[in-house]
Amino acid sequence: MSQDNSANATDTTRRKFVAGTSALVGASLLGTGAGVSTVGASEDVDTAFTNVRVREALHAWDRGYRGRADRTLALTDSGTDSRHPDLGPWSGATVSTEDGFEIDGNPFANTGGSTTSNTTKLVAWHNDFDRYGEYSGPRDSNGHGTHVASIMAGTGRASGFDGSQYQEDEPRTTLVLGDTLSYEVDAEAHSGVFASVYGELVEIAIEGPDGEEITTSSDLVGTSLEENVVAQTPTVHDDGEETYTVHVRAQEGELVSSGTVERVAVGAFVDPTDTVGDRTEDGDRSMHAGIAPDAGIVSLSGLGDPTVEMGDYAEEFAEELNVRAVNMSWGYVGGIPLGAAGGRLDDVPEAIGNLADAGILSVAAAGNDATPASGNAAPAVVREAISVVATGARDGISAYSSGGIAGIDEHDEPYMKPDVTAPGGTLNVPDIAALQGEPEDDVTETEPEDDVADAELEPVEELDEVDESDLEPKTTFDDAITGPADYEIDLAGSVLDTLGDVTLDTSLESPLAGANTEGDGNDGVRDYTGKAGTSMAAPSLAGIAGVVAEAMEFDAPEAIALDEPADADRDDVLRLKQTLLATASETALTAAPYHRAKAPRYTHGGRDQFEGYGRANVGPAIDAVIRDLTDDAVSGTVGLAVPEDERAIAGHVRVSDPGEIDAEVAFSHYSGGNESATKGDPHVDLFLYDAQNPDEQTGDPTIVDSDAGIEGDASVSTTVSPDDLEANGGERVFYVVAKLVNIPGLVNGFDCRAHLDLETAFDEAGLLVEGEREDDASAFTGGQTNRTELDVTVRHPDGEEVVVRDTIPEDWDVDEDHGDVEATTPAFGGGTHVYFGVDDPQDAYEELTHFAEAPDDIEDSDRYTFGPIAVTTDTDDDGTLTDREWTAISGTDRTVTVAAEET
């Protein structure tokens, strides 16, 4: 099976893997076709045929979060082409910081009311720097920024499915060279045609109405992140409806003799002017939408320079443009600035700090320096930023990703990077997103230099002299965590057979080799292309940050909710960052065969040098902030058939009283076509995070308690004290996250889910009282008087009134004429009880005073104990004081010495 990193790209894609996994349960791939069916509406389109990014984003969309037009995500990049339907329309507003912060136009024009195809998408355009050219409107001479913006927040309008033309087929057949499955698709002018295929060693070709081949899947340098083979093209006719032909055929090449086809979907896209794409729940499902399709976009053309400018005016960007996060898919490679000096990088760390102070999270690509020892540089290395490493579809770290080395803070203390991983594609299997058009002459004010316009912003470098043995799995485990568990990579025999066909390709061609252009006869800018890099992983995470921030602002408990952008600050940024990191999943085991050049170590919630805290999980991140699990239980599944399966189950516990919080997760059973290949119960780790208090410098997660559930069961607990509540505004919120670590015998890509039961319980504390005593001295002579002052405060429940009691030692005489004593009774075992608040109970007392005279007989010289202070909530005047239930306050007794010799 193909490996999800560039150093071990393979000729065998998941289509072979699916064949192997199906064989495990006796299903044959080859047989009679099931026939072609149509669905009639875009909501009925099988999402398995869409881009992997869309399938991942559905975890957020199905929970009701797609971003908002009045909450924006920014990027500093080569530009953004707002002519592309996924990224437009533009509001017409421009931003300049040359002479202070100035906005020309209304950024949020046409964002109120119902969302339509005319609802503003690109909110504002900043083009003060001419590194990539100067334009009167949002344009992109390079294409990198357009691609990045599309991954982060593209609407998918250019790839919205026309349900009336959508067809599915299950031929389950073998194709030899020369064999073809052909499908006709009727498409309107100004729309598009697509095909999506699951199979092995096949390619797609699309012909126009005149029979001329317009595009093939190979033009996209691979597939949709190594899942389904995808090809699409804008229609090339000018008016009305014409018929296009899709051909599915065996890959050409002298070593390829046949291919297999399992499932096929073909059809047409709707005219972008007639759809909102995936911006709304009732829009048309799209092939290539971004993670946050309804979020507004603020585009700044340039790299370091506009980032510094944005930092200088961070508060204005937050207040006027509602920026929640900014993506930076650029940085140093091996310590050398990218491109033509890479812009101004020296001031970037300070700028990112200023952005954080204004409530704007910075998301940065970790870099593509390829060697295992390489680390992050600015902007990814900055502690407030999230540094993102790229993975393939099976969560394996792409070999080109940087990782390992971090930075030194102002106290000369080291801190670690990267932070998290997200899909970014591989060299042979890139991430498909929007393709820019050529800027028009009438909007071009200054042309970019040729080398800048054509440069890849974050090039994926070739790995020179890579030995195949260097690419073997290196996953290791900490015995202190795993104990006696057998953590060899011990896969089921049938799984090994499936993985045994892997071959490595270390040639590592450029991700743009053979990339598609706009296409012959392209009517407008609405095509897509493939790119790979941590540049593509960062906007995936930025999009996730956008939808999680939406959930945190509008639906999270007040104690962890984000302020609106205009009022947000560093605390909001760090809480958002912690949420993303705390709900990420370690992949040392689930993606073990796909980690080659960089194999992460299982750290049980710690930071690994190659994947940080693990693979970002948009669904669990949202659940952590919106799902209240206090004294509740939830059943859910975690599994290996990603991206459809979740990798974790999450929620939160919130309490406003002191007490004990307990949480436990229990494995119930497996399900799925490959469950019989499992070799034991799943390893599920359970974490309790302090949702209110991430690391105050970095935003790293604060783990309160954790348990490694090596056999599927785990439990955690914590105690909430009155002081804890007081220090956190009267409420405590904790994230509870159960994460899949391993299903023995299987890895990602197999059809197996573990069913888990997650339950929490809160045991509220009873009466909690604090008390202090102050005596005149610790040593007394006979007949000397001790003046005692008592302070008593009820901490829980609030407002609970009590009567207070203190105990005077035997042989001491109580002075009932002075002080605050309201009653006395003999104490059991000797001595005297003195009472306060009998007539007027309170929940707090200060400086209650009583006096007692020490014994003066020489034989009474001894050590005597006063107290402890005790309280009762039985404040009725019925019954005697001694019959009431008293609670002693620990630590409020005092032992004194009496030398009974009068002076």
Side-chain angles (χ1 to χ4, degrees):
M1 172 174 196
S2 63
Q3 305 305 308
D4 285 318
N5 53 60
S6 57
N8 44 336
T10 129
D11 294 329
T12 307
T13 67
R14 182 181 182 249
R15 297 179 293 285
K16 182 137 190 129
F17 198 40
V18 171
T21 58
S22 297
L24 293 178
V25 292
S28 172
L29 285 176
L30 308 180
T32 304
V36 178
S37 62
T38 59
V39 295
S42 67
E43 61 265 26
D44 296 322
V45 169
D46 188 343
T47 56
F49 289 106
T50 64
N51 191 314
V52 171
R53 181 173 63 250
V54 169
R55 293 155 60 190
E56 180 95 21
L58 280 167
H59 291 300
W61 304 348
D62 289 345
R63 288 167 168 85
Y65 301 96
R66 298 168 183 260
R68 292 168 51 114
D70 62 350
R71 295 292 185 268
T72 65
L73 300 173
L75 70 157
T76 55
D77 215 294
S78 63
T80 303
D81 194 336
S82 63
R83 293 172 298 173
H84 197 289
D86 287 17
L87 302 171
W90 170 42
S91 68
T94 58
V95 180
S96 176
T97 51
E98 287 183 323
D99 300 308
F101 184 86
E102 298 178 350
I103 296 178
D104 184 6
N106 180 4
F108 296 102
N110 200 28
T111 58
S114 299
T115 301
T116 70
S117 61
N118 292 321
T119 299
T120 294
K121 179 63 180 177
L122 201 152
V123 167
W125 167 244
H126 181 283
N127 194 193
D128 285 353
F129 302 96
D130 62 2
R131 175 175 172 78
Y132 295 97
E134 288 184 285
Y135 306 98
S136 58
R139 295 295 183 267
D140 184 2
S141 61
N142 179 282
H144 187 276
T146 295
H147 197 271
V148 163
S150 171
I151 293 170
M152 179 174 69
T155 62
R157 288 175 53 226
S159 60
F161 293 111
D162 181 347
S164 66
Q165 298 297 326
Y166 178 84
Q167 307 169 54
E168 287 185 17
D169 188 19
E170 295 188 10
R172 298 187 180 274
T173 190
T174 298
L175 301 176
V176 298
L177 287 179
D179 287 346
T180 300
L181 294 175
S182 298
Y183 304 87
E184 291 187 345
V185 176
D186 293 333
E188 297 285 345
H190 313 300
S191 65
V193 176
F194 76 91
S196 180
V197 178
Y198 282 92
E200 174 189 350
L201 303 176
V202 295
E203 68 178 11
I204 302 166
I206 302 177
E207 291 180 354
D210 60 359
E212 182 177 356
E213 187 172 281
I214 302 172
T215 189
T216 70
S217 54
S218 60
D219 289 335
L220 290 170
V221 207
T223 70
S224 174
L225 283 184
E226 208 147 300
E227 277 275 324
N228 41 322
V229 184
V230 173
Q232 72 278 307
T233 180
T235 53
V236 296
H237 66 283
D238 295 328
D239 299 298
E241 184 177 274
E242 294 286 354
T243 300
Y244 291 69
T245 304
V246 174
H247 300 295
V248 181
R249 61 198 183 200
Q251 283 183 359
E252 297 181 357
E254 61 182 67
L255 297 181
V256 178
S257 60
S258 65
T260 59
V261 182
E262 301 174 57
R263 303 174 62 199
V264 178
V266 300
F269 296 139
V270 295
D271 188 323
T273 62
D274 296 331
T275 182
V276 299
D278 274 307
R279 292 193 77 163
T280 66
E281 182 180 1
D282 57 0
D284 292 301
R285 174 69 68 242
S286 72
M287 175 75 81
H288 295 304
I291 300 292
D294 199 32
I297 295 174
V298 174
S299 179
L300 294 86
S301 178
L303 307 181
D305 285 318
T307 300
V308 172
E309 292 290 286
M310 192 176 182
D312 290 342
Y313 297 97
E315 291 185 2
E316 289 81 357
F317 274 92
E319 293 174 2
E320 301 297 328
L321 297 173
N322 287 343
V323 177
R324 184 61 84 183
V326 55
N327 185 80
M328 304 173 192
S329 288
W330 49 271
Y332 286 108
V333 168
I336 306 299
L338 283 171
R344 186 170 58 182
L345 288 172
D346 291 344
D347 298 328
V348 166
E350 181 181 356
I352 290 176
N354 293 339
L355 289 167
D357 290 338
I360 299 173
L361 174 67
S362 297
V363 180
N368 303 326
D369 202 21
T371 61
S374 69
N376 297 249
V381 74
V382 182
R383 64 188 179 190
E384 295 94 343
I386 295 184
S387 169
V388 190
V389 163
T391 70
R394 295 290 164 265
D395 297 348
I397 297 174
S398 300
Y400 54 74
S401 289
S402 300
I405 303 172
I408 305 294
D409 65 19
E410 65 272 21
H411 304 296
D412 294 325
E413 293 294 328
Y415 59 91
M416 294 295 295
K417 290 285 184 174
D419 292 304
V420 75
T421 71
T426 67
L427 281 179
N428 287 7
V429 189
D431 201 349
I432 300 173
L435 174 67
Q436 90 286 7
E438 187 70 25
E440 312 95 319
D441 291 340
D442 60 349
V443 301
T444 302
E445 298 172 359
T446 302
E447 294 276 0
E449 297 179 9
D450 290 342
D451 60 338
V452 173
D454 297 335
E456 296 171 38
L457 278 178
E458 203 178 353
V460 178
E461 301 289 342
E462 291 190 6
L463 299 181
D464 296 327
E465 300 180 0
V466 175
D467 187 87
E468 185 169 328
S469 63
D470 294 332
L471 304 179
E472 291 303 312
K474 304 179 182 66
T475 303
T476 55
F477 308 95
D478 187 344
D479 291 340
I481 297 171
T482 62
D486 179 10
Y487 270 137
E488 296 294 322
I489 308 293
D490 188 14
L491 302 179
S494 51
V495 177
L496 292 172
D497 292 341
T498 302
L499 297 174
D501 295 328
V502 170
T503 58
L504 301 179
D505 177 4
T506 58
S507 60
L508 304 187
E509 296 179 355
S510 164
L512 296 182
N516 199 6
T517 63
E518 286 188 44
D520 293 337
N522 184 24
D523 189 4
V525 181
R526 59 180 188 277
D527 208 353
Y528 297 88
T529 190
K531 297 178 186 288
T534 56
S535 280
M536 286 64 252
S540 290
L541 198 281
I544 291 174
V547 293
V548 174
E550 180 188 0
M552 292 184 74
E553 180 180 355
F554 295 100
D555 296 315
E558 183 177 354
I560 60 171
L562 301 184
D563 289 328
E564 62 180 53
D567 298 326
D569 58 18
R570 176 177 289 262
D571 288 342
D572 294 284
V573 166
L574 297 182
R575 285 200 307 278
L576 174 57
K577 180 178 178 180
Q578 172 180 241
T579 303
L580 299 171
L581 272 53
T583 52
S585 298
E586 295 181 65
T587 65
L589 285 161
T590 56
Y594 320 125
H595 295 312
R596 296 287 176 145
K598 295 181 175 68
R601 178 182 176 88
Y602 168 63
T603 63
H604 186 61
R607 183 198 297 275
D608 174 73
Q609 63 177 330
F610 297 132
E611 73 170 354
Y613 289 94
R615 175 65 157 79
N617 291 314
V618 65
I622 291 172
D623 285 345
V625 301
I626 69 170
R627 178 191 277 168
D628 190 343
L629 286 177
T630 310
D631 269 330
D632 203 355
V634 63
S635 296
T637 62
V638 290
L640 300 174
V642 294
E644 282 77 13
D645 285 351
E646 298 279 21
R647 303 172 184 85
I649 299 174
H652 64 259
V653 174
R654 55 188 298 198
V655 297
S656 55
D657 295 308
E660 183 83 10
I661 296 172
D662 294 289
E664 61 181 27
V665 64
F667 169 61
S668 173
H669 62 281
Y670 284 125
S671 65
N674 301 131
E675 65 169 304
S676 61
T678 60
K679 303 183 69 173
D681 291 342
H683 177 165
V684 179
D685 282 352
L686 185 61
F687 296 91
L688 198 63
Y689 296 99
D690 186 338
Q692 295 162 276
N693 299 293
D695 184 278
E696 62 183 13
Q697 298 296 324
T698 64
D700 287 353
T702 299
I703 299 176
V704 176
D705 194 18
S706 67
D707 189 16
I710 295 173
E711 296 181 351
D713 298 342
S715 61
V716 293
S717 65
T718 190
T719 299
V720 177
S721 69
D723 288 338
D724 193 14
L725 286 165
E726 187 175 294
N728 287 278
E731 184 173 60
R732 294 297 280 120
V733 182
F734 301 91
Y735 293 145
V736 182
V737 189
K739 305 181 184 183
L740 178 65
V741 176
N742 184 35
I743 292 182
L746 293 173
V747 290
N748 281 349
F750 284 84
D751 181 23
C752 185
R753 283 162 292 285
H755 293 248
L756 306 177
D757 297 317
L758 179 61
E759 183 175 6
T760 75
F762 176 60
D763 184 12
E764 184 179 343
L767 181 68
L768 296 177
V769 186
E770 292 180 350
E772 293 182 359
R773 73 181 310 118
E774 183 177 347
D775 294 286
D776 277 344
S778 60
F780 296 87
T781 58
Q784 187 176 358
T785 298
N786 178 30
R787 180 179 185 273
T788 302
E789 287 187 358
L790 308 177
D791 293 331
V792 176
T793 303
V794 176
R795 299 298 304 276
H796 180 73
D798 288 341
E800 181 74 49
E801 296 177 347
V802 294
V803 175
V804 177
R805 184 186 76 185
D806 196 16
T807 301
I808 311 300
E810 188 175 10
D811 297 327
W812 286 66
D813 293 330
V814 177
D815 182 353
E816 298 186 47
D817 297 327
H818 298 89
D820 302 313
V821 176
E822 298 181 27
T824 63
T825 63
F828 180 77
T832 305
H833 290 316
V834 295
Y835 299 89
F836 308 87
V838 175
D839 297 328
D840 185 19
Q842 305 289 323
D843 62 357
Y845 298 85
E846 292 184 359
E847 298 181 355
L848 295 174
T849 305
H850 64 74
F851 298 88
E853 182 179 306
D856 56 7
D857 290 340
I858 191 67
E859 61 269 18
D860 292 331
S861 297
D862 204 347
R863 293 176 63 80
Y864 295 87
T865 299
F866 284 79
I869 303 171
V871 298
T872 180
T873 59
D874 185 359
T875 58
D876 296 335
D877 56 7
D878 298 336
T880 65
L881 290 170
T882 55
D883 290 338
R884 302 179 189 183
E885 183 177 343
W886 293 88
T887 301
I889 303 176
S890 176
T892 58
D893 53 350
R894 175 79 179 275
T895 299
V896 300
T897 301
V898 174
E901 179 179 355
E902 293 182 334
T903 59

